[in-house]
Amino acid sequence: NDYTNASAEYRFVATNDRGDSGAEANYFYSLILFKENKIDEAENQLFNLIENFSASDYWFARAFILLADVYLARDNTFQAKQTLQSIIDNYEGEDLVAEAKDKLNHITELENRQKPDSIPENTLRDSLIEEF
């Protein structure tokens, strides 16, 4: 939970390693930014990972799952669902496919329980982010 020191270390590794360690560091730095509610910075960092570390399949897929959370934070459930569906359709590892399915199902369940014209702003997003 020492985000300040962890961020510095992750940034260093992400900048200096172009392999799996760099991809992992990019992911965790993005996660810290997201947890600190720095949504724009988290998104930019995730796009950096996606653009520069596509050979690291696991961290590439994890980045897309976190990117879905970024979209939820912006109340863009459509894009979040499409991003999760892309992991379900294209990633071969069952662990992350299961995580993407769980998140997608949860979004769908919440949407089905709440009527669109009665949802207070950010309610769906906040409830989804709290659970994941």
Side-chain angles (χ1 to χ4, degrees):
N1 290 328
D2 182 1
Y3 292 159
T4 302
N5 286 327
S7 291
E9 295 296 324
Y10 285 134
R11 278 189 311 234
F12 177 80
V13 175
T15 302
N16 294 301
D17 186 306
R18 288 289 162 221
D20 284 339
S21 294
E24 180 179 5
N26 251 298
Y27 172 79
F28 281 110
Y29 181 52
S30 301
L31 182 61
I32 288 170
L33 292 169
F34 181 77
K35 287 182 175 191
E36 292 179 329
N37 205 31
K38 297 177 181 174
I39 303 303
D40 291 337
E41 292 175 55
E43 181 181 42
N44 289 336
Q45 195 65 33
L46 287 166
F47 283 134
N48 178 56
L49 191 162
I50 291 165
E51 291 171 11
N52 295 305
F53 295 93
S54 61
S56 297
D57 291 342
Y58 177 82
W59 295 109
F60 188 80
R62 287 221 57 92
F64 272 99
I65 291 172
L66 183 54
L67 187 59
D69 291 336
V70 167
Y71 292 136
L72 286 174
R74 291 197 170 123
D75 291 323
N76 189 343
T77 55
F78 174 80
Q79 191 64 43
K81 289 167 48 175
Q82 294 303 310
T83 301
L84 292 168
Q85 189 64 52
S86 73
I87 296 301
I88 294 165
D89 293 343
N90 298 303
Y91 185 69
E92 295 180 12
E94 285 302 311
D95 54 340
L96 297 184
V97 168
E99 183 177 342
K101 284 180 180 179
D102 286 345
K103 284 189 177 208
L104 182 59
N105 289 336
H106 190 68
I107 293 168
T108 304
E109 286 173 14
L110 285 173
E111 286 179 326
N112 289 338
R113 280 190 280 174
Q114 300 174 352
K115 294 181 180 153
D117 38 321
S118 67
I119 300 174
E121 191 171 325
N122 297 332
T123 301
L124 177 61
R125 178 202 72 197
D126 292 345
S127 63
L128 289 167
I129 290 173
E130 284 177 18
E131 292 198 27
F132 288 99

